[in-house]
């Protein structure tokens, strides 16, 4: 018997898979930064090659230049020379500053330059820090930000006069606890600043991602969308970063009540804070992308009659860098309700085709859980087999795609189980769930609400255009494309920014996005498709195990310490060691300090009898329920860093270091008790005043630290090999002693 029904227009599963692969290829291609403009580019344009040449001059021989070091002073002098070549006078502002959050103090030397302006009003402050960590030369972090500001200033000076003041602030001591920013916000110039643009780097390459804003970001998001070239930004990143313990200089300004935008590129995280972070390694295309955005935004801000800093928050996200979609945060609930009503109306109209509605409502959550569970199992297996010996490895790209493919396999398998319900019911149930998710996000986390709202709106509009007894091809694929473009860019960056622990979440997101095409995924041998995807994931995982986890180009970060106390001396490391280093030093798991709650590794070391830090207690004065102790801390061996530790249970009510008040720092992860750190210990010592609760004597510790290991540590450094390098604070020699207060 012949049917009069129109042949089914539902796409084969291969169409949905092909679309997802195509979109993933597009996103991977769009993650590459633009080609840098040549040094011969017009003077009013930003040139990544010009900025790169400036970076080479600025860093000189590439010696690390942490706060207070002779190399830091040399970089500062070269920075002043670059400003002078632009016709700008750099003002060096020296002061002691303390960070309440990190419990650290030090003397900083910020550099401030002001561009000539025809008008007045609150200034646009361009911000970057010029110090580096002790372990590396800081080519990307944050030499890149410094030269982006210099090249931006050069391009601005080549154009017409500015209608509004533009300042360049190069802070010192960011790596030691945001000290330069703390000094500026407590100084006399803060009231003259209207908006802040910060240039940072969390790696050596990649696109410049706008990941943090002030509280008032609605008008600034609109400005970013109108003027930035290839914007990469999302209000989800703003929501996530606000909840993380990470900080940059911009965070200090945000807490001081200013608004603005914070940019950073995040590619090649294994280069970050290591000796490989050189001027040559810093990607010129990344400089170009960050500079294009800052130059365009600064021009727009300088020309604006009033700065766009009115109260109000925005929801925003980019579509593969082609455009920035945005709306006021207050619109999120109405938009989510609109999507829900449009889809609910279709459910009423198509009630005869509502078979499978429950499958659509339950399918995506099941896919999400299945993808996450499979990702967790794969992560556990690969970790046990040695593929992930650290939060990041040289096989980051392989790991990322293995878990994405595994998540898609989970979605395809679920689709094959729901293939009998592949009509309007399955489609409607799926997108009603997305709309409900957007509604919940709009209420609880408005900045993330676009994740549900945007794809659900596309589905609602496409669904009303659909005809027939089953959803046609476009009705399946258009919202799938929207979901992929909205969800996958941020998910693909998760391992770069937060490490391999996020890989199961990446698999879960891929499964959730794939579940937007449950019907097509189940059609036409959906089980076979799921099996092939799983085989690809297994193949990528095998490649992960075969390839070395670290290479000289992408090395393991491994800092070593020589630690000496009155009782013993030992070598210490905070992370798991390569076999060669472990064998060379006979390392064993241990907890190296009484104030460290997490374990490390240590090995016996020859005692060098280095002089311990000297503490002179000047006065002890009683106060209500406690004591005020004034002391001088000095290093007998002229070490630049020092630390004072008070055990848990001791009440530190307040402190003053070099005359600067310091609130008791909050409890920090991995630390027992309270620490106060001195980032620039003068030869003559520093005066510290402590206000302690209680009257009983307290056993504390003091330690000083100098950079590098003694000669006896050379075999350990050689055993580290070319695929492991110092990281963060680098190798150190630490001498500690007990102190009774």
């Amino acid at each position: 018997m012949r049917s009069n029904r129109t042949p089914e227009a539902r796409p084969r599963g291969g169409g949905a898979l092909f679309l997802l692969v195509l979109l993933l290829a597009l996103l991977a291609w769009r993650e590459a930064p633009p080609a840098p403009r040549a040094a011969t580019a017009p003077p009013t344009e930003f040139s990544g090659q010009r900025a790169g040449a400036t970076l080479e001059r600025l860093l000189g021989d590439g010696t690390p230049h942490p706060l207070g070091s002779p190399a830091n002073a040399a970089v500062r002098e070269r920075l002043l020379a670059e400003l002078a070549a632009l016709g700008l006078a750099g003002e060096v502002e020296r002061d002691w500053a303390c960070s309440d959050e990190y419990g650290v103090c030090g003397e900083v030397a910020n550099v401030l330059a002001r561009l000539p302006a025809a008008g007045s009003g609150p200034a646009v402050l361009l911000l970057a820090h010029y110090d580096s960590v002790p372990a590396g030369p800081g080519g990307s972090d944050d030499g890149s930000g410094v030269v982006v500001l210099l090249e931006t200033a050069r391009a601005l000076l080549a154009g017409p006069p500015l209608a509004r003041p533009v300042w360049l602030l190069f802070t010192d001591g960011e790596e030691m606890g945001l000290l330069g920013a703390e000094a500026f916000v407590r100084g006399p110039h803060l009231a003259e600043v209207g908006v802040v643009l910060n240039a940072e780097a969390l790696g050596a390459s990649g696109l410049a991602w706008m990941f943090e804003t002030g509280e008032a970001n609605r008008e600034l998001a609109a400005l970013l969308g109108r003027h930035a070239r290839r914007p990469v930004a999302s209000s989800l990143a703003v929501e996530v970063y606000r909840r993380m313990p990470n900080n940059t200089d911009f965070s200090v300004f945000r807490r001081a009540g200013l608004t603005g935008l914070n940019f950073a590129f995040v590619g090649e995280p294994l280069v970050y804070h290591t000796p490989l972070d050189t001027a040559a390694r810093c990607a010129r295309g990344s400089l170009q992308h960050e500079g294009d955005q800052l130059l365009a935004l600064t021009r727009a801000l300088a020309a604006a009659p009033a700065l766009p800093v009115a109260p109000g928050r925005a929801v925003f996200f980019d579509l593969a860098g082609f455009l920035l979609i945005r709306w006021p945060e207050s619109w999120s609930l109405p938009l989510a309700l609109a999507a829900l009503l449009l889809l609910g109306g279709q459910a009423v109209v198509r009630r005869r085709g509502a078979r499978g509605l429950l499958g659509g409502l339950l399918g995506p959550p099941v896919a999400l859980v299945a993808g996450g569970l499979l990702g967790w199992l794969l992560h556990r297996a690969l970790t046990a087999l040695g593929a992930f010996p650290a939060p990041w490895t040289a096989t980051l790209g392989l790991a990322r795609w293995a878990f994405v493919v595994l998540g898609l396999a989970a979605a395809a398998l679920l689709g094959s189980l729901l293939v009998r319900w592949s009509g309007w019911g399955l489609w409607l149930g799926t997108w009603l769930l997305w709309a409900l998710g957007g509604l919940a996000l709009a209420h609880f986390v408005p900045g993330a609400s676009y994740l549900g709202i945007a794809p659900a709106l596309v589905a609602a509009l496409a669904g009303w255009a659909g005809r027939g007894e089953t959803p046609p091809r476009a009705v399946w694929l258009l919202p799938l494309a929207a979901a992929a473009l909205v969800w996958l860019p941020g998910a693909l960056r998760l391992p770069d920014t937060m490490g391999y622990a996020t890989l199961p979440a990446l698999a879960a997101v891929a499964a959730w996005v794939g579940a937007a095409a449950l019907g097509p995924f189940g059609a036409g041998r959906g089980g076979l498709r799921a099996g092939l995807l799983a085989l690809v994931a297994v193949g990528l995982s095998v490649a992960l195990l075969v390839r070395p986890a670290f290479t000289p180009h992408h090395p393991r970060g491994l800092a070593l310490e020589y630690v000496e106390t009155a009782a013993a001396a030992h070598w210490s490391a905070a992370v798991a060691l390569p076999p060669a280093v472990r064998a060379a030093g006979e390392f064993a798991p241990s907890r190296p300090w009484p104030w460290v709650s997490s374990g490390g590794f240590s090995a016996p070391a020859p005692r060098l009898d280095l002089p311990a830090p000297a503490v002179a207690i000047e006065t002890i004065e009683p106060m209500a329920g406690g004591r005020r102790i004034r002391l001088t801390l000095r290093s007998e061996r002229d070490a630049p860093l020092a630390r004072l530790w008070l055990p848990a249970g001791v009440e530190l009510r307040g402190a003053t270091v070099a005359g600067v008040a310091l609130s008791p720092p909050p409890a920090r992860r991995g630390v027992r008790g309270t620490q106060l750190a001195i980032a620039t210990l003068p030869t003559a010592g520093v005066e510290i005043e402590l206000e302690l609760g209680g009257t009983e004597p307290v056993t504390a510790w003091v330690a000083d630290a100098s950079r590098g290991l003694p000669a006896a540590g050379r075999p350990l450094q050689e055993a580290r090999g070319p695929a492991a390098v110092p990281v963060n604070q680098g190798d150190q020699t630490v001498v500690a002693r007990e102190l009774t207060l």
Side-chain angles (χ1 to χ4, degrees):
M1 177 177 172
R2 184 177 180 182
S3 171
N4 293 323
R5 187 190 312 180
T6 304
E8 185 177 328
R10 171 168 53 87
R12 295 276 182 185
L17 182 59
F18 175 76
L19 176 63
L20 283 172
V21 171
L22 187 65
L23 289 172
L24 285 168
L26 170 68
L27 293 173
W29 170 63
R30 293 293 289 177
E31 281 295 301
R37 290 192 191 87
T40 55
T44 55
E45 294 185 2
F46 190 100
S47 163
Q49 294 290 8
R50 277 193 294 250
T54 304
L55 184 59
E56 298 277 359
R57 295 193 300 270
L58 183 74
L59 296 191
D61 62 1
T63 301
H65 52 284
L67 172 67
S69 66
N72 180 270
V75 169
R76 182 168 58 251
E77 290 303 315
R78 290 194 286 269
L79 171 57
L80 291 168
E82 293 291 339
L83 289 169
L86 296 175
L88 300 174
E91 307 167 24
V92 179
E93 300 182 336
R94 300 179 185 273
D95 200 1
W96 270 83
C98 293
S99 167
D100 292 340
E101 181 170 2
Y102 292 101
V104 61
C105 300
E107 186 179 16
V108 298
N110 292 337
V111 176
L112 178 65
R114 309 167 198 249
L115 276 63
S120 61
V124 179
L125 182 69
L126 306 186
L127 179 65
H129 70 89
Y130 71 89
D131 64 305
S132 77
V133 293
S140 296
D141 181 27
D142 190 27
S144 66
V146 173
V147 299
V148 162
L149 265 59
L150 290 171
E151 175 66 6
T152 296
R154 187 208 55 74
L156 291 172
L157 292 168
L162 299 171
R164 177 182 299 278
V166 173
W167 295 1
L168 311 178
L169 176 61
F170 306 95
T171 59
D172 194 10
E174 191 268 358
E175 300 292 3
M176 298 305 295
L178 318 178
L179 295 180
E182 293 283 0
F184 187 88
V185 301
R186 299 179 189 185
H189 305 308
L190 184 67
E192 302 175 64
V193 176
V195 68
V196 180
L197 302 179
N198 188 44
E200 259 284 5
L202 303 175
S205 63
L207 294 173
W209 193 12
M210 201 291 290
F211 64 96
E212 185 182 14
T213 73
E215 288 302 312
N217 66 16
R218 180 173 55 84
E219 292 184 341
L220 280 173
L223 190 81
L224 180 70
R226 288 196 302 269
H227 295 281
R229 293 188 180 184
R230 197 168 164 184
V232 179
S234 79
S235 51
L236 171 64
V238 175
E239 295 279 9
V240 171
Y241 192 78
R242 185 181 296 130
R243 291 161 172 80
M244 292 175 64
N246 304 52
N247 288 290
T248 68
D249 276 342
F250 181 83
S251 307
V252 177
F253 286 86
R254 176 175 54 79
R255 289 193 290 265
L258 286 170
T259 191
L261 304 174
N262 196 0
F263 297 84
F265 44 90
V266 298
E268 296 188 275
L270 285 175
V271 175
Y272 179 65
H273 282 188
T274 73
L276 274 67
D277 187 16
T278 61
R281 190 71 180 266
C282 180
R284 298 329 191 229
S286 299
L287 294 176
Q288 186 69 54
H289 187 238
E290 194 164 72
D292 280 343
Q293 295 185 81
L294 260 71
L295 177 58
L297 289 169
T298 305
R299 279 203 174 111
L301 288 166
L307 290 177
V309 295
R313 297 179 58 80
V315 175
F316 55 91
F317 60 96
D318 71 279
L319 282 182
F322 290 108
L323 75 157
L324 192 76
I325 296 176
R326 62 195 183 277
W327 60 76
E329 195 176 84
S330 59
W331 289 16
S332 288
L333 277 172
L335 287 172
L337 286 170
L340 194 61
L341 290 173
L342 286 170
L343 289 164
Q346 292 185 54
V348 173
V349 170
R350 305 180 192 279
R351 58 187 180 276
R352 292 181 59 190
R355 182 169 173 262
L357 187 66
L358 184 62
L361 288 169
L362 296 179
V366 171
L368 180 75
V369 172
L373 179 60
L374 289 173
W376 179 78
L377 291 172
L378 179 60
H379 186 273
R380 288 291 300 270
L382 290 173
T383 301
L385 293 170
F388 302 143
W392 293 272
T393 72
T395 55
L396 179 63
L398 281 173
R400 185 185 358 250
W401 295 116
F403 282 77
V404 168
V405 173
L406 182 66
L408 294 179
L413 178 61
L414 182 62
S416 69
L417 299 176
L418 298 176
V419 67
R420 71 182 68 179
W421 298 318
S422 57
W424 280 109
L426 184 66
W427 184 91
L428 281 167
T430 298
W431 292 108
L432 279 169
L433 180 72
W434 279 69
L436 287 168
L439 188 65
L441 289 171
H443 180 71
F444 293 105
V445 193
S449 60
Y450 70 88
L451 293 173
I453 291 172
L457 280 174
V458 171
L461 296 174
W464 280 109
R467 298 289 185 271
E469 295 185 14
T470 58
R473 183 182 300 270
V475 173
W476 278 110
L477 298 186
L478 281 176
L480 171 64
L485 289 172
V486 164
W487 278 77
L488 292 178
L492 290 170
R493 296 188 191 109
L494 276 176
D496 294 275
T497 56
M498 301 176 72
Y500 283 158
T502 62
L503 288 171
L506 179 57
V509 169
W512 171 262
V513 171
L518 284 175
F521 257 171
R525 300 178 180 177
L528 176 61
R529 191 173 300 109
L532 291 174
L533 286 168
L535 282 176
V536 172
V538 170
L540 292 170
S541 300
V542 171
L544 271 174
L545 296 168
V546 171
R547 292 182 59 182
F550 301 103
T551 67
H553 195 66
H554 290 108
R556 177 201 304 258
L558 174 59
L560 300 168
E561 285 186 341
Y562 171 81
V563 180
E564 187 173 283
T565 67
H570 62 269
W571 307 109
S572 176
V575 298
L577 300 164
V581 179
R582 194 163 58 244
E586 300 180 3
F587 281 85
S590 71
R591 185 163 59 87
W593 299 105
W595 56 79
V596 176
S597 60
S598 56
F601 299 85
S602 66
R607 186 172 181 81
L608 302 178
D609 291 321
L610 298 174
V615 177
I617 298 179
E618 310 292 347
T619 61
I620 301 178
E621 302 174 4
M623 52 183 294
R627 298 162 292 156
R628 181 181 289 109
I629 302 173
R630 186 165 58 87
L631 58 87
T632 300
L633 172 61
R634 182 170 58 85
S635 173
E636 296 281 3
R637 57 194 188 92
D638 206 20
L641 309 170
R643 181 186 298 121
L644 170 66
W645 173 78
L646 300 171
V650 175
E651 180 190 4
L652 178 62
R653 297 177 178 176
T656 301
V657 178
V660 180
L662 176 68
S663 298
R668 302 199 65 193
R669 183 179 178 184
V671 176
R672 303 191 306 176
T674 303
Q675 286 191 67
L676 296 179
I678 311 300
T680 54
L681 185 60
T683 301
V686 63
E687 186 175 282
I688 301 173
E689 188 176 277
L690 305 173
E691 294 182 4
L692 302 181
T695 58
E696 295 298 318
V698 172
T699 300
W701 280 82
V702 289
D704 62 12
S706 54
R707 297 179 178 108
L709 295 182
R714 188 166 302 159
L716 295 177
Q717 293 172 312
E718 292 174 351
R720 194 159 44 191
V725 294
V727 67
N728 297 328
Q729 295 301 308
D731 296 341
Q732 290 188 325
T733 296
V734 181
V735 182
R737 54 164 283 200
E738 288 187 343
L739 170 69
T740 300
L741 295 175

